[in-house]
Structures are given as structure tokens and as C-alpha cells.
Amino acid sequence: MKKTSAHAMAASGALLLLATAAQAEGEINALVWCDHTDPALLEPFEQAHDVKVNVKEYEGTAAGLAILDQSRPGDWDVMVIDTVDVGRAVDQGLLAALPGDMGTADFFPELVMADSNGRDGTIYAVTEKFGYNTIAYDKTKVDPADMGDLSILWSDKYAGRIAVYDYYLPVLGLIGLEQGVATADLTADSVESLRDRAYALKANARQVSDVVASQTALATGEVDILIGGGEWVTAVLSAENPALDWTVPSQGALRWSQSIAVLEDSENKDMATEFVKYIVSPEGQARLATSSCYWGMPANRAAGDVLTDDQKAALRWDNQDEYLANSQLYPTPDADLDLAMQDLWTDMLQQ
Amino acid sequence: MSSIERSERRTAFAFVAPALLWTLAFFLVPFGAMVLLSLAHLEGREIVQAYDLGNYIKIFTDPSLLKGIFVSLEITMTVTVISVLLAWPLAWIIATQVPARYQRLAIMLAVLPFWTSYVVRSYAWALVLGQNGVLMQWLIGIGLLDAPIQIMATRAATIIGFVHFFVMLLTLTIYANLIQLSPNYARAAADLGASGWQTLRLVILPLTLPGIMTGAFLTFVLCIGDYITPQILGGNNELSMPQLIMLQLGRRGDFPMASALSVVLMALVTLAYAATARWLKMDRV
């Protein structure tokens, strides 16, 4: 039987063309998430180093790895990647070792994540931003005290006023937390035990929607609560819609984090490393945290000196110690568990 | 066969060859590859090339996947019927009641929404149909409702979004058919004692069947394969086949299952073609 890489199947000619663009002097090519495309983030670095940062946006680790798979060695210098997936990239030999001192001394300790970002004492990536998949809500429409308990989402009180974020990993993780199952303990069997609870949540919800539709539904009053949402949904709207808020309930929340790394095949590693250092510097961190695409907490606590009070309030800066202690990392399922979770999610959507 | 006939055949083939090559390169070969891939399956995160019908069996035995077929068919049939019922009178009014010099303007106004982006139009409907949207405000304002009801994120919203789009398409195909009809048909019917309603029902309507069926077939094909409208307006409260295909591609990386679902989708379109082929006379439209 012939085995074919899923990544190879996923590649398109268009990506190939994009990835094979010749790298010019004074340029670095970065494979990033949308928050890195904000000129307010990139321009200070470009001006300081007289370099052009070319960014290509992608979503999902699999898509990012597929792009690398279809590119020529050296096409890409920097990559933003889910922190829990850094190990996958290291296993494939894609990431370069970073210098020992990447300024993580000022980081929130929980966000250094040396085990995820490194291997055998070598650092391959640095956490740059984090946040929570939890409960976002309109505080003028719901009782904020209710939002401290996840189980309220299954009650009649908010029936038909809830949107579910359409991403199976965090939401099934949250359902697990509500049922007392830690994300690290999720197995194919324990996921199956969440089926009835997932169906009941769907029955209580008005819609299951992606980022844009969820944010729109919450902002327009279509729904009052978004499960799976967090500061990344509400903070960016805080100035124009201060009624939107978020919290971490007593059962806890899922914590997402993204890391930034230099690619092993980069032909411009020095400049790429400088870019990583800039991103994790207090100034870079503050700009990244409040990027126009979505907001999130900076991994570097020193960014607090740069952010304004309003920005820190929207990010719930003062609650971070409590939230960090009461949050768990995303589930990191193997292939079988991943498919089991997706099957459950599809079945839930069709209910 | 004479040399002249052979020469004519070669010339005819030369003219047809580019179209044949185009179809071969951009339809038959990719479709063959997709059928081949649909026989493979996913093991872990790897695609294993095999030659069995496992994916097809799963489509017709897994309740979630099977439901996707029925959801798509129900939505598509509903949209097609409603669109025809709305488009025919509209096309008839434009073709027969609007003075000839204003018909072009009327058609342009009818298809004006085509000029906007499909995605933007769907999001616009989301704002219109929402809890605090224009429609609810109006219905409450005139006293028809006391409180908003849910239309957005339901099948009804998906159908409304589709019908808005496809009424325009059907109006065009039916109008094109109507204006080709000689007025002598109606005159002859009147001479033979038919009332206006009888003429419309027994003469004009049957003669516009090619336009209706062509538009209905196009509506069926475009509607059953559409991902954007149900995704934006349906609220993921049920999944149509294109949504299931996108789930396989974007989330599971299950290209074989996505291919199998696509082949089934194509089979449904083929069946629709077979059912309407006798009326599909493009030269009459």
C-alpha cells in the first residue's frame, strides 16, 4: 500500500508560487497568524533594522507545516506556531536553536513553557502571546455573577442566548472541565462521556459559529454569551462596545498560547532572531497584544509598562495570576483521539 | 467515405479538439483523480491509498453524514420551488407589462444585487434577519410581533439568503424565454376563445418550461454546492454537504472522505440533470 502525506495532498500550486518567491537582501519572510500583519507591529522593527518583513498569514498548524513542506529550503525565516505544536515542528527538524537568553526572565512563569518550546535544554521557540477560551458575554444582558459558573450555560435561564465557538478542541475541553475532566486526561473513552453534555449545550445554544460570526453575534446582540470566547473576542472591541466582557469561571478555562521561532533553513537567521527578540520585547509585546486582528495577553509581563490602563483593563491584567492558576492547556490529542473528538463535534452539529 | 468528407471531418475535429482537450485536462482528469482518492482512506494522519468503498459505505450509514445529504436536498428543493414561484411572475411582468423601452432598466434593477459580493450579501442578510435586525424592528414596529423571533441561524435564514440570489437568476432565464415568444400565440388562443388565465396557464406557461427548467437546474446545481450561505446564515445548526466536505478538508485532513462526498454530490447533480434534460434547451433561453 502506498502512503501519501496528508500535507502533500493539501498543498496547492498557489502556495508553491508564493513560497518560492526569491528572498532578497534586507528582507525576512515570516509565516504568521493574522495578528502579526498589523503595520503598527511591523513598521517599528522595519525602520529600526532597515529591513522588510514579508508576512504570509496562515491558520492551523497543519496548514503551516504544509506550506513549509511545499516551499524551498530557505524561503521562510520566521514562523508563528501554536505553543503545544512546537514539538511537532522540532521533530521534523524545522526549527533552529535560539540563543539562550531570549529575555524570558520577565515572562509570566507559566508562559515560559520550556518543555513545550525546547528540547533537551535547547530553546527552539519563545511564547509570545496567550489568552483563554472561556466565557465571553454582554454584561448588560446577563448577570456577570452567573458567568462564574460554567454549568449555567446548560440551564434554561440563558437558553437560546448562547453561541458556541465552532472549534472542537477548546469547547470540548471546556465541557470536560465542567464535568471535572482535565484536558490532559481526555481520552477517546472520556470524550465519549461528554457526548450527552455536548448535545445538551447545542440544544441550549442559538448557533455554533466561527470567529467572525461569533464576534458579530455577540456585538450585535444576536446572542448574549459566547462559550469558547475570551479576551481575543471582546478586548479588541472594548473601546466601542464596553458592554462586552469575559471571565474565567470557577471550573477553569482553556489557555491558548502562540510561540515564535526561527526556521532551521533560514538564510537570514541573525535578522530573524532579531525579529523574534523584538516581538518578545516589552514594546513588541504591547503592540502584538493589541494588534488590530485580535488582542491577547503578552507573555512578557514587562509589556505592562507600555500598555495603557484601559488596554490592561480590557485584557484583565490584574486577574492574570488567578486566571493562570485556574486554566489548563489545550488538549493535545493523538490522531485517534483527534478524530474521535471531531466525530463527536460533527454529530453535535447535526443534532 | 470520400476524401472531401474525410477532410470535413478532420476540420470539424480540429475545431472541437480544443474544447475536448480543455474538458479532458480540467474536468475528466481531475474528476478521475478525485474518484481514485475517494477510494483511499485516512489512517491516523496519513492517507492510505486503497481501492474499497469504505468511505461511500460510511456516507450512507453514518447518521451525521447521511443527514447532510437530506439537509442539502431539502434546502435545495425548497429554494428551487420558491424561487421559480417568485421569478416567473416577476419575469412575466417585466416581459409583458413593462414598456419595452424600460425593460432593460427593469432587468438591470432585478439583477442589481448580483453586483455585490456574495459573502457581503450573506452577511448583510445576517444583519437584516438578526434579533435586532431591520426585519424584526419593522415587524415589532407595525405590531405584528411583541418580541423578536429567531430567523437568523436557522434553515429559514439560509433559504431566504438563497432565494434572494436565485430569484434573480431565474428571472433572467425565464424573461429571456418569454420575450422570444411570439405574441401570435396569445392572439391565437384568444381567437379560439381562451380566457386570459387559460392562455397564461395552457399556452404561455408550457412554452416557458425550457426557461424555467434551465433556471431551476442552474439553481439546483449552484444551491446544492454552496458553502457560504448555509455557513453564514444557518448558524451551523445543521450541516449541508458542502459544509461536511469543508469539515473533512479543513479540519480532519480527510481528503478521501471529502472526495467521496464530492462524488456523491456530483451524482445528485447528474440525477437532477437527467430529470430535467428533456426541457434543457439552451437555444430556447
Side-chain angles (χ1 to χ4, degrees):
Chain A
M1 295 222 276
K2 183 184 167 191
K3 287 202 166 188
T4 312
S5 158
H7 295 153
M9 301 301 297
S12 68
L15 291 180
L16 188 65
L17 287 173
L18 281 168
T20 52
Q23 183 170 335
E25 278 296 316
E27 293 186 5
I28 57 171
N29 297 325
L31 208 48
V32 299
W33 294 1
C34 69
D35 55 343
H36 288 68
T37 60
D38 190 342
L41 172 70
L42 300 176
E43 282 173 2
F45 177 80
E46 291 176 330
Q47 287 165 8
H49 293 83
D50 192 23
V51 68
K52 177 86 179 84
V53 181
N54 302 310
V55 289
K56 172 166 176 57
E57 197 179 317
Y58 80 95
E59 281 182 33
T61 301
L65 295 179
I67 293 170
L68 290 177
D69 199 35
Q70 293 302 310
S71 302
R72 293 182 311 186
D75 278 345
W76 301 102
D77 303 295
V78 172
M79 182 183 196
V80 172
I81 185 170
D82 218 317
T83 306
V84 294
D85 289 326
V86 170
R88 280 171 70 184
V90 172
D91 288 340
Q92 295 181 33
L94 295 172
L95 306 185
L98 290 173
D101 179 22
M102 292 302 292
T104 56
D106 292 331
F107 277 28
F108 289 94
E110 293 87 345
L111 271 300
V112 175
M113 302 177 74
D115 289 344
S116 300
N117 286 319
R119 179 74 55 82
D120 302 327
T122 302
I123 300 171
Y124 289 96
V126 192
T127 315
E128 54 169 18
K129 193 170 177 178
F130 73 100
Y132 306 91
N133 289 104
T134 176
I135 302 176
Y137 56 92
D138 184 330
K139 60 189 174 193
T140 63
K141 306 272 186 63
V142 304
D143 181 354
D146 285 346
M147 301 297 106
D149 179 8
L150 261 177
S151 63
I152 196 76
L153 303 185
W154 278 264
S155 72
D156 291 339
K157 185 172 183 181
Y158 294 111
R161 297 164 62 187
I162 299 167
V164 179
Y165 173 41
D166 184 19
Y167 189 18
Y168 64 104
L169 281 176
V171 177
L172 289 179
L174 283 168
I175 295 172
L177 289 184
E178 195 266 339
Q179 292 288 288
V181 181
T183 54
D185 295 335
L186 280 175
T187 62
D189 290 337
S190 57
V191 159
E192 197 54 36
S193 73
L194 304 179
R195 183 174 289 272
D196 290 344
R197 208 61 178 155
Y199 286 4
L201 179 65
K202 167 78 186 315
N204 230 23
R206 176 179 287 264
Q207 64 187 69
V208 183
S209 40
D210 61 19
V211 174
V212 176
S214 296
Q215 200 169 33
T216 304
L218 195 60
T220 58
E222 192 69 23
V223 297
D224 301 328
I225 301 168
L226 170 63
I227 179 167
E231 76 296 309
W232 54 277
V233 172
T234 62
V236 73
L237 299 171
S238 57
E240 57 194 79
N241 196 343
L244 301 185
D245 206 349
W246 63 283
T247 191
V248 171
S250 59
Q251 293 91 340
L254 271 285
R255 191 171 83 230
W256 57 266
S257 60
Q258 58 193 63
S259 291
I260 185 164
V262 173
L263 289 157
E264 175 64 21
D265 290 331
S266 166
E267 293 169 0
N268 205 353
K269 281 197 180 75
D270 289 343
M271 188 56 75
T273 305
E274 282 304 312
F275 183 67
V276 173
K277 286 181 176 174
Y278 160 72
I279 290 292
V280 297
S281 70
E283 293 75 20
Q285 285 278 277
R287 292 178 190 126
L288 182 64
T290 54
S291 161
S292 58
C293 184
Y294 63 91
W295 286 26
M297 277 293 296
N300 190 342
R301 197 189 280 266
D305 298 335
V306 185
L307 291 166
T308 67
D309 288 344
D310 285 344
Q311 289 170 334
K312 286 199 282 190
L315 290 167
R316 288 187 172 257
W317 186 274
D318 294 336
N319 297 99
Q320 288 305 314
D321 289 336
E322 172 199 341
Y323 288 176
L324 282 167
N326 197 23
S327 59
Q328 301 187 18
L329 292 178
Y330 260 46
T332 48
D334 59 22
D336 291 338
L337 174 58
D338 194 46
L339 289 180
M341 293 174 85
Q342 292 196 46
D343 283 341
L344 168 55
W345 193 254
T346 304
D347 292 344
M348 184 198 80
L349 292 176
Q350 283 290 47
Q351 288 301 302
Chain B
M1 186 185 296
S2 68
S3 61
I4 294 174
E5 284 174 328
R6 278 199 297 272
S7 173
E8 282 178 347
R9 280 196 164 197
R10 276 198 297 270
T11 306
F13 183 76
F15 278 116
V16 174
L20 285 176
L21 281 173
W22 180 273
T23 304
L24 185 70
F26 297 109
F27 178 70
L28 290 177
V29 171
F31 183 67
M34 192 170 74
V35 171
L36 209 60
L37 188 58
S38 74
L39 303 176
H41 47 83
L42 196 68
E43 279 186 12
R45 292 193 168 101
E46 296 286 333
I47 293 169
V48 179
Q49 186 61 61
Y51 300 97
D52 60 53
L53 298 174
N55 289 324
Y56 292 96
I57 292 168
K58 189 176 177 187
I59 289 171
F60 290 103
T61 54
D62 183 314
S64 295
L65 297 178
L66 187 58
K67 186 180 175 186
I69 296 176
F70 286 108
V71 167
S72 284
L73 284 174
E74 287 165 13
I75 291 175
T76 302
M77 305 286 252
T78 309
V79 166
T80 305
V81 169
I82 295 174
S83 299
V84 168
L85 291 176
L86 292 175
W88 200 94
L90 180 61
W92 183 80
I93 289 168
I94 294 173
T96 63
Q97 306 299 307
V98 175
R101 63 181 180 280
Y102 294 124
Q103 284 188 8
R104 184 171 291 182
L105 177 66
I107 281 292
M108 194 189 77
L109 290 174
V111 302
L112 202 58
F114 266 126
W115 295 6
T116 57
S117 152
Y118 192 50
V119 176
V120 170
R121 201 163 49 234
S122 292
Y123 271 111
W125 271 113
L127 296 175
V128 170
L129 300 174
Q131 285 283 92
N132 301 314
V134 177
L135 182 64
M136 287 303 145
Q137 297 299 322
W138 179 67
L139 290 174
I140 291 170
I142 62 172
L144 212 60
L145 290 178
D146 294 328
I149 55 170
Q150 181 177 359
I151 295 180
M152 183 54 203
T154 65
R155 182 184 289 193
T158 302
I159 289 172
I160 289 170
F162 271 139
V163 166
H164 174 228
F165 182 76
F166 290 117
V167 162
M168 298 182 281
L169 181 74
L170 272 155
T171 302
L172 280 180
T173 60
I174 296 169
Y175 170 79
N177 199 162
L178 275 166
I179 57 165
Q180 290 183 48
L181 295 183
S182 166
N184 290 335
Y185 287 118
R187 288 179 194 142
D191 282 351
L192 293 170
S195 66
W197 168 244
Q198 283 175 317
T199 303
L200 197 67
R201 187 167 60 88
L202 300 173
V203 179
I204 305 298
L205 187 62
L207 287 171
T208 57
L209 265 183
I212 294 172
M213 297 310 278
T214 303
F217 176 67
L218 289 174
T219 299
F220 186 95
V221 172
L222 294 171
C223 185
I224 203 167
D226 188 279
Y227 166 77
I228 292 172
T229 302
Q231 184 69 19
I232 293 175
L233 298 176
N236 261 341
N237 282 318
E238 58 184 3
L239 298 175
S240 62
M241 287 189 77
Q243 289 174 290
L244 283 169
I245 291 170
M246 286 302 292
L247 270 183
Q248 310 303 319
L249 291 173
R251 199 164 269 178
R252 294 172 69 100
D254 193 345
F255 287 74
M257 179 54 84
S259 300
L261 282 164
S262 303
V263 170
V264 171
L265 190 61
M266 191 135 178
L268 291 174
V269 171
T270 306
L271 284 175
Y273 177 79
T276 56
R278 56 185 285 216
W279 292 287
L280 295 180
K281 294 168 183 166
M282 299 302 287
D283 57 318
R284 298 279 300 275
V285 177

